[in-house]
Amino acid sequence: MALTKDVRETVQADAKRDPAFRRGLLSDALESLLSGEVTLGKELLRDYINATVGFPKLAAHTKIHAKTLHQMFGPRGNPTANNLFEIVAYLQHAEGVRFEVRSGRAALRAKHRPLGMRQPLGLLRRRNKK
């Protein structure tokens, strides 16, 4: 599902302007990866990186050449788990959030709790850093 240049530019402009949109974009990228939609997850991460830290700054932090990073998040890219998790950790730090993975069972159990005791449902829950 390749995005057109106009859509990509709109996504980047929205991400630069709206912190909630930016965090949502990162969250959607990670949820896509975790649910097995790797191509979509990589594409969303690429859009997020372009709209925020940029590949040159990410390359400097990870010590991975910018061109290699572009290839990792391209349609045929295949980042190693080590590289992917290092990048995700850096992006969370740069955004000032931390995502947690919760099992589907835990989310279902939370659904059956009384209203005042429910936790947010979903695979990922964002915690803003203070």
Side-chain angles (χ1 to χ4, degrees):
M1 177 181 101
L3 296 176
T4 64
K5 187 175 182 179
D6 291 340
V7 173
R8 228 178 259 291
E9 289 173 356
T10 302
V11 167
Q12 288 183 12
D14 288 347
K16 288 178 182 177
R17 185 182 69 252
D18 184 0
F21 181 85
R22 211 173 33 244
R23 289 188 298 269
L25 184 60
L26 181 57
S27 176
D28 287 349
L30 298 177
E31 284 190 34
S32 295
L33 290 170
L34 290 172
S35 67
E37 297 179 54
V38 178
T39 302
L40 176 60
K42 290 187 309 178
E43 188 172 328
L44 291 172
L45 274 176
R46 185 178 61 236
D47 290 342
Y48 176 83
I49 292 165
N50 278 322
T52 58
V53 297
F55 279 96
K57 186 173 180 181
L58 182 60
H61 175 76
T62 60
K63 308 291 190 259
I64 300 170
H65 195 275
K67 185 173 181 176
T68 303
L69 289 169
H70 277 283
Q71 290 171 342
M72 278 186 206
F73 294 106
R76 293 188 293 158
N78 190 16
T80 64
N82 190 42
N83 287 339
L84 184 60
F85 288 125
E86 180 183 0
I87 290 165
V88 167
Y90 174 72
L91 295 176
Q92 289 181 104
H93 174 75
E95 188 61 46
V97 296
R98 186 183 75 159
F99 293 98
E100 296 177 347
V101 177
R102 297 180 54 207
S103 73
R105 281 191 177 167
L108 290 175
R109 281 195 304 268
K111 186 177 182 180
H112 297 293
R113 291 185 192 150
L115 282 176
M117 306 216 21
R118 285 191 188 167
Q119 295 289 325
L121 297 177
L123 291 174
L124 294 176
R125 183 175 55 169
R126 179 178 64 243
R127 284 191 176 173
N128 291 327
K129 290 185 180 179
K130 295 179 182 178

